[in-house]
Amino acid sequence: AQTVTQSQPEMSVQEAETVTLSCTYDTSESDYYLFWYKQPPSRQMILVIRQEAYKQQNATENRFSVNFQKAAKSFSLKISDSQLGDAAMYFCAYRGSGSRLTFGEGTQLTVNP
Amino acid sequence: GAGVSQSPSNKVTEKGKDVELRCDPISGHTALYWYRQSLGQGLEFLIYFQGNSAPDKSGLPSDRFSAERTGGSVSTLTIQRTQQEDSAVYLCASSLGSGRGTDTQYFGPGTRLTVL
């Protein structure tokens, strides 16, 4: 079974600084997808970024980028120029041959003004 | 366009009662998913519907849980004889399909269920 691990329960960053959230996963599959979702206090899970395992190029979305290391089974999220609105719980998620998402435990990000 | 919607937003019920939670997926999305988010268990997959195929029910925790999807659109998750351990946020998501490029799941705001 696939597992996703987020080893940082909490992280904090100063506004305008850069922060990196870590995620590792375990799988025997070669074709899969990885996601980062953000969940603010409103509960709504919002897609931040998506990475396809067969693509070597790291995905980027504006201030959000990933460092995808397939051999190491690592998928970290970098947030540049952090903003107060980035404060939320961040979940790393894996999707393999099945359609379900397997989530990590989450990292609570605090942005300090 | 409109996102995934769920109702009710919050539900408080007494132990032993039945509850129904509703999910309206994004129009045109053929795949629909239910997840449960609880303090002790994190985010867990419950059930998945894809078009007219038989649903993947492998995540349902007990036979008290069931779900249906009528007309390929709206879905209802039913919990019979609720227990206190059923207290959680129930999240619904939909995706355009399940293949490459169509599989990104978009979530609704969730229903917070509290069983007293």
Side-chain angles (χ1 to χ4, degrees):
Chain A
Q2 293 80 21
T3 59
V4 178
T5 302
Q6 295 178 248
S7 59
Q8 306 153 316
E10 298 177 344
M11 290 284 284
S12 64
V13 62
Q14 291 296 126
E15 197 174 3
E17 297 291 307
T18 296
V19 65
T20 298
L21 308 183
S22 301
C23 173
T24 58
Y25 57 95
D26 188 23
T27 184
S28 58
E29 297 177 312
S30 58
D31 191 16
Y32 51 87
Y33 307 84
L34 296 163
F35 304 83
W36 279 98
Y37 282 90
K38 165 186 174 182
Q39 187 179 42
S42 66
R43 283 197 320 242
Q44 180 94 42
M45 295 279 278
I46 301 165
L47 177 68
V48 175
I49 203 163
R50 174 180 185 271
Q51 175 79 43
E52 298 184 51
Y54 75 94
K55 290 186 178 179
Q56 294 185 345
Q57 186 174 7
N58 289 325
T60 62
E61 287 289 344
N62 301 313
R63 297 181 295 107
F64 299 88
S65 61
V66 299
N67 183 5
F68 173 48
Q69 301 289 329
K70 191 171 184 179
K73 295 180 183 174
S74 170
F75 182 61
S76 61
L77 175 70
K78 185 171 83 170
I79 306 173
S80 304
D81 186 25
S82 297
Q83 301 176 359
L84 295 177
D86 295 334
M89 181 74 86
Y90 285 79
F91 290 96
C92 178
Y94 170 100
R95 177 190 177 272
S97 56
S99 294
R100 69 183 68 184
L101 291 173
T102 300
F103 290 90
E105 306 90 335
T107 296
Q108 181 67 51
L109 178 66
T110 301
V111 181
N112 300 308
Chain B
V4 177
S5 61
Q6 292 185 245
S7 60
S9 178
N10 292 283
K11 176 71 176 179
V12 180
T13 190
E14 294 180 348
K15 178 181 173 181
K17 300 283 190 183
D18 297 352
V19 295
E20 287 188 349
L21 311 180
R22 177 187 168 103
C23 172
D24 278 276
I26 293 172
S27 178
H29 280 198
T30 63
L32 186 147
Y33 314 77
W34 284 97
Y35 295 88
R36 178 169 71 174
Q37 185 174 24
S38 58
L39 282 176
Q41 302 297 323
L43 274 154
E44 306 171 277
F45 165 80
L46 296 177
I47 189 169
Y48 157 60
F49 296 89
Q50 171 59 63
N52 295 321
S53 301
D56 175 0
K57 304 179 182 180
S58 60
L60 295 178
S62 77
D63 58 8
R64 295 186 297 104
F65 288 72
S66 63
E68 63 177 17
R69 188 178 185 194
T70 54
S73 182
V74 171
S75 177
T76 302
L77 177 68
T78 301
I79 309 173
Q80 296 178 311
R81 305 180 302 282
T82 52
Q83 303 294 312
Q84 288 182 331
E85 61 262 30
D86 299 334
S87 296
V89 174
Y90 290 81
L91 294 167
C92 177
S94 71
S95 64
L96 188 61
S98 57
R100 191 185 299 279
T102 66
D103 60 293
T104 298
Q105 295 180 29
Y106 298 91
F107 284 80
T111 294
R112 180 178 296 281
L113 175 65
T114 303
V115 182
L116 301 177

